[in-house]
């Protein structure tokens, strides 16, 4: 059971619903992603046979023995109905869908799951009759496959039900079943099954959930992003390349040497541009974490784009992302070690430990803290202790040793080669113009990359917080590539202007400024919370703040790392192109 108002999923039998006749709940073994999502799949007492219709049947109890909820149980059910909880049933791995009318556009939409009940004049009414509409496709003469699963819900008062032998009957205008919070509730649960043949084939049965809606807005997003990209490329070509050629030609000419002494420019900081930054161990750890996140994101999105991580495989996307992050520790450790060596770091073991634990510790600590609140609500979204231990084992038994192994190989390799030597005495940085202030640069640099990802971000937020499927991984992969290119170009432009102002403290600044679009994602997430979501309680708000904060931090580390490597490559190229006396 899920609700967009509380963001707290619950198990099916967290409410006093009909239990299987043998009284046992057969739990399906969930993968890591399903457990972290809060999915808990159990069997139900509905008896459905292929192509056999059922007019109306009691789900549990007997004709003269209705289900009897106490006042406490009735209050619990009414609370869930008030928060608009949806129940999610599965048949043959196909989730149930409900057709609904959008009140704003009057269009027919598909909702995942069915509503537990509805509110009317401050009273809660439960949907206690389900009409299961099932579609089958005739694969061969004696072979049938389930290709559709919808449900129509009804609320029927127990006094408006009539029984004939084992079947039941009610009038369409029957009075709805009230959940009485004052005296308790007596009710029946009933269901009917209606099969129909369909032309939909097995391979297309998910199309009702993954119908390509709003395709035009996605293409608009892509075209908009590409225009932004060409705009940035034009700036880079016209300003940077032309200016650089003129600078390099002037710096390499032997004429007007006396005039050159009085000139300013990026060549004058050649003796300090590769001076190691402060807190070099932390810097190497952050960049190593960024590499790990980048590789995890790139490979996960690419595999999902190929259709290997479809929504039909519940939890597969999150499971794949976690395992990829763990195993990418080897490459992250290798490049972090080479960078740490380049910055003349000596304590490689401590640097390796910091690289392996910095980002995971923040994520694990935040989720561990939030988990206490989720457990207090008895939600299925609470991560079990055994799963926490499994995640810690993945972290300390696989990821940490792989980072150390990567550091071992990285330290044995030569550091990154710099084209110029670093002076012993640091040069004084002149006063900078106002628009090169770090905060202003962050705001300026973040606008264009955020514009490139804005549309996809909206659909990702809908999938995360409004219980919808996200499946347009082809668009997402294109947007990710555009993001990488735009962040790289922005970083190069900003670092070039910084060096022209004779400010050689570019290491940390290139990382911080390149991640500036995370500021806009933070602002957008606040806007989304107040305009799209209807969360009013403290714990769901805390969950939103915690998880969104982790998203913003992850995006900052990712884009900051991309920007740093773009700036680092650019600086090595331009200083290799000039003659230094």
């Amino acid at each position: 059971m899920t609700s967009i108002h509380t963001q707290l999923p619950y198990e099916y039998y967290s409410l006093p619903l009909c239990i299987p006749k043998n009284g046992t709940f057969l739990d399906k073994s969930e993968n890591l992603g399903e457990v972290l999502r809060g999915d808990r799949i159990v069997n139900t007492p509905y008896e459905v046979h292929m192509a056999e219709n059922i007019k109306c049947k009691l789900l549990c109890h007997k004709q003269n023995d209705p289900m009897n909820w106490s006042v406490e149980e009735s209050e619990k059910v009414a609370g869930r109905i008030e928060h608009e909880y949806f129940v999610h049933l599965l048949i043959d791995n196909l989730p149930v869908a409900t057709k609904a009318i959008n009140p704003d556009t009057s269009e027919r939409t598909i909702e995942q799951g069915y509503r537990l009940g509805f509110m009317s004049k401050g009273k809660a009414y439960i949907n206690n009759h389900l009409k299961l509409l099932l579609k089958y496709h005739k694969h061969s003469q004696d072979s049938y496959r389930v290709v559709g699963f919808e449900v129509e819900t009804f609320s029927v008062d127990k006094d408006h039900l009539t029984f004939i032998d084992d079947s039941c009957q009610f009038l369409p205008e029957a009075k709805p079943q009230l959940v009485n919070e004052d005296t308790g509730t007596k009710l029946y649960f009933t269901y009917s099954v209606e099969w129909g043949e369909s032309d939909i084939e097995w391979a297309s049965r998910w199309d009702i959930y993954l119908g390509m809606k709003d395709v035009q807005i996605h293409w608009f997003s892509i075209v908009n992003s590409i225009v932004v990209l060409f705009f940035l490329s034009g700036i880079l070509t016209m300003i940077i390349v032309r200016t650089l050629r003129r600078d390099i030609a002037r710096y390499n000419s032997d004429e007007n040497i006396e005039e050159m002494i009085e000139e300013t420019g990026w060549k004058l900081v050649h003796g300090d541009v590769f001076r190691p930054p402060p807190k070099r161990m932390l810097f190497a750890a952050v960049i190593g974490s960024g590499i790990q996140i980048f590789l995890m994101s790139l490979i996960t999105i690419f595999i999902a784009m190929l259709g290997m991580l479809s929504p039909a495989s519940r939890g597969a996307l999150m499971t794949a992302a976690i395992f990829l992050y763990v195993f990418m520790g080897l490459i992250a450790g290798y490049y972090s070690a080479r960078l740490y060596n380049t910055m003349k770091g000596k304590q490689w073991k401590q640097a390796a430990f910091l690289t392996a634990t910095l980002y995971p510790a923040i994520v694990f600590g935040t989720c561990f803290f939030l988990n206490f609140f989720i457990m207090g609500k008895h939600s299925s979204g609470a991560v079990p202790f055994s799963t926490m231990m499994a995640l810690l084992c993945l972290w300390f038994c696989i990821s940490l040793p792989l980072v150390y192994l990567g550091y071992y190989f990285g330290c044995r390799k030569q550091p990154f080669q710099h084209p110029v030597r670093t002076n012993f005495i640091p040069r004084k940085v002149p006063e900078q113009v106002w628009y090169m202030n770090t905060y202003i640069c962050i705001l300026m640099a973040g606008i264009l990359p955020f514009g490139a990802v804005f549309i996809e971000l909206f659909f990702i937020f809908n999938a995360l917080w409004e219980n919808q499927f996200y499946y347009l991984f082809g668009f997402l992969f294109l947007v990710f590539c555009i993001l990488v290119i735009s962040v790289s170009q922005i970083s190069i432009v900003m670092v070039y202007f910084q060096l022209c102002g004779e400010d050689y403290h570019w290491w940390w600044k290139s990382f911080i400024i390149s991640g500036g679009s995370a500021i806009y994602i933070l602002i957008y997430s606040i806007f989304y919370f107040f305009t799209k979501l209807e969360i009013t309680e403290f714990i769901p708000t805390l969950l939103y703040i915690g998880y969104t904060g982790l998203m913003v931090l992850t995006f900052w580390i990712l884009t900051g790392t991309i920007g740093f490597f773009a700036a680092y490559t650019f600086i090595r190229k331009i200083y290799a192109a000039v003659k230094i006396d």
Side-chain angles (χ1 to χ4, degrees):
M1 297 184 186
T2 61
S3 168
I4 62 172
H5 299 295
T6 68
Q7 304 299 330
L8 293 168
Y10 285 96
E11 295 183 31
Y12 181 77
Y13 291 114
S14 61
L15 293 182
L17 303 175
C18 289
I19 61 174
K21 289 180 179 178
N22 57 9
T24 58
F25 315 126
L26 300 175
D27 285 309
K28 174 186 171 294
S29 57
E30 293 100 359
N31 59 40
L32 182 60
E34 286 179 294
V35 174
L36 295 177
R37 276 166 41 95
D39 293 347
R40 302 291 184 270
I41 300 174
V42 294
N43 63 327
T44 62
Y46 293 96
E47 294 180 359
V48 180
H49 300 279
M50 177 60 74
E52 290 185 13
N53 292 338
I54 298 174
K55 285 190 175 179
C56 184
K57 187 176 180 180
L58 271 172
L59 185 59
C60 60
H61 294 273
K62 296 179 181 177
Q63 296 177 10
N64 299 319
D65 183 24
M67 181 175 280
N68 193 357
W69 286 343
S70 66
V71 173
E72 291 77 11
E73 290 173 329
S74 299
E75 288 175 348
K76 190 175 184 181
V77 174
R80 297 275 178 88
I81 294 172
E82 187 178 358
H83 285 110
E84 296 185 13
Y85 267 84
F86 280 76
V87 181
H88 300 275
L89 298 178
L90 296 168
I91 187 166
D92 193 26
N93 198 38
L94 197 63
V96 68
T98 309
K99 286 183 178 175
I101 303 294
N102 189 326
D104 298 326
T105 60
S106 299
E107 293 180 359
R108 292 182 71 85
T109 59
I110 297 295
E111 293 180 336
Q112 288 187 57
Y114 70 87
R115 291 177 184 269
L116 180 63
F118 60 92
M119 299 294 295
S120 178
K121 298 179 181 178
K123 298 287 186 180
Y125 297 87
I126 187 165
N127 290 322
N128 58 333
H129 178 84
L130 299 185
K131 184 179 182 181
L132 307 178
L133 305 172
L134 294 155
K135 301 289 183 183
Y136 66 85
H137 180 76
K138 221 169 179 181
H139 185 59
S140 63
Q141 189 63 31
D142 300 318
S143 176
Y144 298 82
R145 285 182 166 179
V146 179
V147 294
F149 182 23
E150 294 179 22
V151 70
E152 289 181 8
T153 58
F154 300 90
S155 182
V156 185
D157 189 270
K158 74 175 184 63
D159 296 328
H160 287 227
L161 271 171
T162 57
F163 298 96
I164 303 172
D165 297 330
D166 291 334
S167 64
C168 56
Q169 190 175 1
F170 62 90
L171 298 173
E173 58 271 9
K175 185 181 175 183
Q177 176 63 59
L178 173 70
V179 180
N180 197 321
E181 301 176 61
D182 300 323
T183 61
T185 308
K186 289 186 177 182
L187 75 163
Y188 291 108
F189 280 98
T190 57
Y191 71 103
S192 57
V193 180
E194 188 178 297
W195 285 92
E197 190 172 355
S198 174
D199 295 329
I200 298 171
E201 295 188 0
W202 170 267
S204 304
R205 66 180 193 154
W206 274 80
D207 288 358
I208 189 174
Y209 311 97
L210 309 181
M212 292 288 285
K213 300 174 185 175
D214 304 316
V215 178
Q216 288 183 336
I217 197 167
H218 285 278
W219 279 118
F220 174 77
S221 168
I222 296 296
V223 171
N224 174 60
S225 302
I226 291 173
V227 169
V228 169
L229 206 61
F230 276 113
F231 176 70
L232 279 174
S233 300
I235 293 177
L236 208 64
T237 305
M238 293 176 62
I239 300 177
I240 304 297
V241 176
R242 287 177 61 186
T243 308
L244 272 176
R245 281 182 177 173
R246 188 176 67 247
D247 288 348
I248 291 170
R250 190 172 78 251
Y251 290 149
N252 288 343
S253 66
D254 294 326
E255 301 175 2
N256 301 325
I257 294 177
E258 293 181 1
E259 293 180 11
M260 289 283 294
I261 295 173
E262 300 299 327
E263 285 188 352
T264 60
W266 53 268
K267 184 184 177 183
L268 298 185
V269 294
H270 67 85
D272 298 278
V273 72
F274 293 110
R275 187 178 301 283
K279 302 188 185 302
R280 64 192 77 176
M281 185 186 294
L282 178 62
F283 187 78
V286 170
I287 296 300
S289 298
I291 293 169
Q292 211 167 347
I293 295 168
F294 172 77
L295 293 173
M296 174 201 73
S297 306
L298 179 66
I299 298 171
T300 302
I301 296 171
F302 182 73
I303 294 173
M305 182 186 68
L306 299 179
M308 298 180 189
L309 299 174
S310 72
S313 305
R314 288 178 307 278
L317 185 71
M318 188 178 293
T319 304
I322 290 171
F323 277 96
L324 277 170
Y325 179 83
V326 166
F327 287 103
M328 289 302 112
L330 180 67
I331 302 173
Y334 174 79
Y335 281 101
S336 181
R338 289 199 66 188
L339 184 63
Y340 188 60
N341 266 3
T342 304
M343 296 185 294
K344 298 179 173 58
K346 302 298 181 185
Q347 300 171 306
W348 73 270
K349 292 180 181 177
Q350 292 91 323
F353 182 78
L354 189 61
T355 303
T357 58
L358 178 65
Y359 175 73
I362 295 172
V363 174
F364 189 84
T366 304
C367 293
F368 187 74
F369 172 74
L370 294 175
N371 203 51
F372 280 112
F373 293 94
I374 303 173
M375 289 173 67
K377 286 285 188 178
H378 306 289
S379 168
S380 63
V383 180
F385 180 75
S386 57
T387 306
M388 283 191 183
M389 291 299 101
L391 290 171
L392 284 174
C393 285
L394 283 175
W395 180 11
F396 285 107
C397 299
I398 299 178
S399 182
L400 183 68
L402 284 176
V403 171
Y404 267 95
L405 186 63
Y407 252 82
Y408 173 75
F409 288 117
C411 288
R412 295 185 57 159
K413 289 284 289 184
Q414 286 289 326
F416 295 117
Q417 297 301 309
H418 293 157
V420 291
R421 291 192 302 271
T422 301
N423 296 334
F424 288 106
I425 302 172
R427 180 189 180 93
K428 185 180 178 182
V429 178
E431 187 176 345
Q432 300 296 299
V433 291
W434 64 270
Y435 55 81
M436 290 309 294
N437 179 276
T438 303
Y439 300 107
I440 296 174
C441 289
I442 288 172
L443 295 176
M444 288 194 300
I447 293 175
L448 293 177
F450 175 73
V453 303
F454 167 69
I455 301 295
E456 291 307 309
L457 188 68
F458 170 76
F459 288 99
I460 290 170
F461 268 60
N462 280 354
L464 288 174
W465 303 110
E466 298 199 37
N467 196 36
Q468 297 180 13
F469 287 117
Y470 184 86
Y471 52 90
L472 300 172
F473 292 103
F475 283 109
L476 186 61
F477 184 76
L478 280 174
V479 168
F480 186 79
C481 294
I482 291 169
L483 175 70
V484 171
I485 297 169
S486 60
V487 168
S488 301
Q489 292 178 339
I490 284 285
S491 178
I492 289 171
V493 170
M494 300 305 288
V495 166
Y496 174 74
F497 286 131
Q498 182 181 344
L499 293 178
C500 285
E502 298 179 35
D503 181 2
Y504 53 85
H505 299 300
W506 64 272
W507 296 77
W508 277 107
K509 201 168 181 179
S510 67
F511 174 83
I512 293 169
I513 290 173
S514 301
S517 48
I519 293 289
Y520 290 95
I521 291 180
L522 177 63
I523 295 169
Y524 175 74
S525 65
I526 296 169
F527 171 79
Y528 186 89
F529 178 83
F530 286 107
T531 58
K532 294 289 291 182
L533 299 181
E534 298 177 24
I535 295 174
T536 55
E537 296 182 1
F538 170 71
I539 291 179
T541 303
L542 188 67
L543 293 179
Y544 184 84
I545 292 170
Y547 291 139
T548 306
L550 289 178
M551 283 176 56
V552 170
L553 174 67
T554 304
F555 193 81
W556 195 309
I557 295 174
L558 170 67
T559 50
T561 302
I562 294 168
F564 163 73
F565 274 107
Y568 190 38
T569 305
F570 168 74
I571 290 172
R572 288 166 64 193
K573 289 285 185 185
I574 64 171
Y575 281 97
V578 295
K579 293 189 296 185
I580 305 296
D581 296 328

